[in-house]
Amino acid sequence: MNATICFIGAGNMAMSLIGGLLASGYAKDKIIATEPSEAQRRSVTERMGIYCYSDNNEAVARADIVVFAVKPQQLQGVCHEVQASIQAKRPLIISIAAGIRTVDMDRWLGGNNAIVRTMPNTPALIQSGATGLFANAKVKPEQSSQAENILRAAGITVWVKTEEQIDALTALSGSGPAYYFLFMEAMQQAAQDLGLDEKSARLLTLQTAFGAAKMALESTDDLVTLRQKVTSPKGTTEQAILTFEAQNLRQTVKDAMSAAQNRAVELA
Ligand code: NAD
């Protein structure tokens, strides 16, 4: 892929994607960014070796793909600012802004745009993200591949067929890291209450979560089979699992994710 990619807004998420792209061998001179702050522009150039513009329109005029990486509340203003340059150049548009619908973005950009809306999650900052992608009807197959390649620089990618599914995905992978942090927090505290010191309880909690996820990712077994394989009848694990089931953990998880999805719909 030798398209020129322009990141509008070179904050945390853009820097992570740029870092991933450069690590995967993408040419430095094919990546540009924009930033209003001079200090941040200097830092981007020093850290990444790419050119960072202060003028969004000047950068868009040089790009084949424009990644909007500003905060959601800044997106409408930035879209209006670059509308004429986008209409003149017709690049592939990629948005990583949470909760902004493609129809709204398309309208702000003057209409008729190929837009891929993405929902990355926080582990994207360490290239271990899980990103959902949705393409509007104007996106061509080769543009879908381009978008996927860019987001893959931050972890794995999954396409959804309808934009509503982005709200479900937000409730899963978007908010999901916090669910695991909560569960690990509870496990660490319980381990300390059972007599382990804080440092050991933390390390064992984190490595157990990491090991379980890695094992599941590398296995062909489904999650039920994996769980059954480590749950001997009348053993210790079974006692814990029976306690979770008796206290309706599954329903709690379902209710929590429905609440997150409903909130995503309300915010969009
Ligand atoms: P950030 O604040 O680190 O980055 C935004 C950058 O945009 C800043 O550097 C800011 O100076 C710049 N900016 C502001 N106004 C601008 C303008 N007019 N023109 C050009 N640049 C401008 O934010 P972030 O955490 O990188 O988030 C960026 C987007 O990614 C958000 O829309 C957010 O919803 C989405 N996102 C972030 C995460 C995450 O974990 N950080 C996860 C999922 C989605």
Side-chain angles (χ1 to χ4, degrees):
M1 189 160 70
N2 50 18
T4 297
I5 308 169
C6 168
F7 287 83
I8 305 275
N12 294 317
M13 200 49 103
M15 291 295 261
S16 169
L17 286 168
I18 294 167
L21 283 167
L22 292 174
S24 72
Y26 208 92
K28 266 193 178 108
D29 62 351
K30 294 285 180 188
I31 304 176
I32 54 178
T34 72
E35 256 299 319
S37 129
E38 197 190 336
Q40 180 66 1
R41 282 201 300 278
R42 213 174 314 117
S43 152
V44 171
T45 302
E46 276 167 18
R47 281 171 59 196
M48 300 292 173
I50 64 160
Y51 196 80
C52 195
Y53 293 79
S54 58
D55 183 335
N56 288 333
N57 283 295
E58 197 183 339
V60 166
R62 292 168 195 272
D64 305 301
I65 300 171
V66 178
V67 183
F68 286 84
V70 294
K71 292 281 188 201
Q73 61 273 22
Q74 297 161 335
L75 191 61
Q76 184 171 5
V78 174
C79 285
H80 283 142
E81 182 193 331
V82 296
Q83 191 192 97
S85 317
I86 293 282
Q87 288 291 319
K89 188 87 205 263
R90 294 241 166 259
L92 166 65
I93 310 289
I94 299 176
S95 165
I96 63 168
I100 308 286
R101 304 252 181 249
T102 51
V103 283
D104 294 320
M105 212 177 155
D106 187 42
R107 197 176 60 250
W108 301 336
L109 290 171
N112 235 359
N113 297 289
I115 304 180
V116 173
R117 174 180 167 194
T118 74
M119 178 67 212
N121 64 3
T122 317
L125 299 174
I126 53 159
Q127 274 91 43
S128 299
T131 300
L133 301 102
F134 167 76
N136 77 356
K138 298 277 172 199
V139 176
K140 299 190 185 92
E142 67 268 23
Q143 292 178 315
S144 298
S145 305
Q146 288 176 317
E148 194 176 313
N149 284 337
I150 293 171
L151 270 302
R152 236 197 262 126
I156 66 125
T157 54
V158 173
W159 284 96
V160 294
K161 289 199 167 54
T162 67
E163 195 159 2
E164 288 68 40
Q165 287 175 320
I166 287 277
D167 297 323
L169 191 137
T170 301
L172 176 60
S173 49
S175 303
Y179 313 159
Y180 285 103
F181 292 141
L182 177 66
F183 198 77
M184 289 192 288
E185 197 184 313
M187 276 181 74
Q188 180 186 330
Q189 187 57 56
Q192 286 175 232
D193 294 345
L194 292 174
L196 289 184
D197 65 82
E198 185 182 343
K199 199 171 158 216
S200 306
R202 175 183 151 85
L203 184 61
L204 291 166
T205 298
L206 300 191
Q207 181 62 24
T208 303
F210 179 71
K214 191 163 192 285
M215 215 174 142
L217 278 168
E218 289 176 6
S219 173
T220 51
D221 287 339
D222 60 23
L223 292 172
V224 175
T225 309
L226 284 169
R227 172 171 54 78
Q228 284 167 347
K229 279 185 178 172
V230 292
T231 312
S232 320
K234 303 204 186 325
T236 56
T237 310
E238 187 186 60
Q239 287 308 303
I241 299 285
L242 287 172
T243 307
F244 284 136
E245 297 286 19
Q247 297 190 18
N248 228 345
L249 177 72
R250 287 172 202 272
Q251 190 59 46
T252 305
V253 171
K254 197 173 169 187
D255 291 348
M257 286 178 58
S258 295
Q261 182 187 26
N262 292 341
R263 187 68 183 138
V265 173
E266 273 169 24
L267 290 174

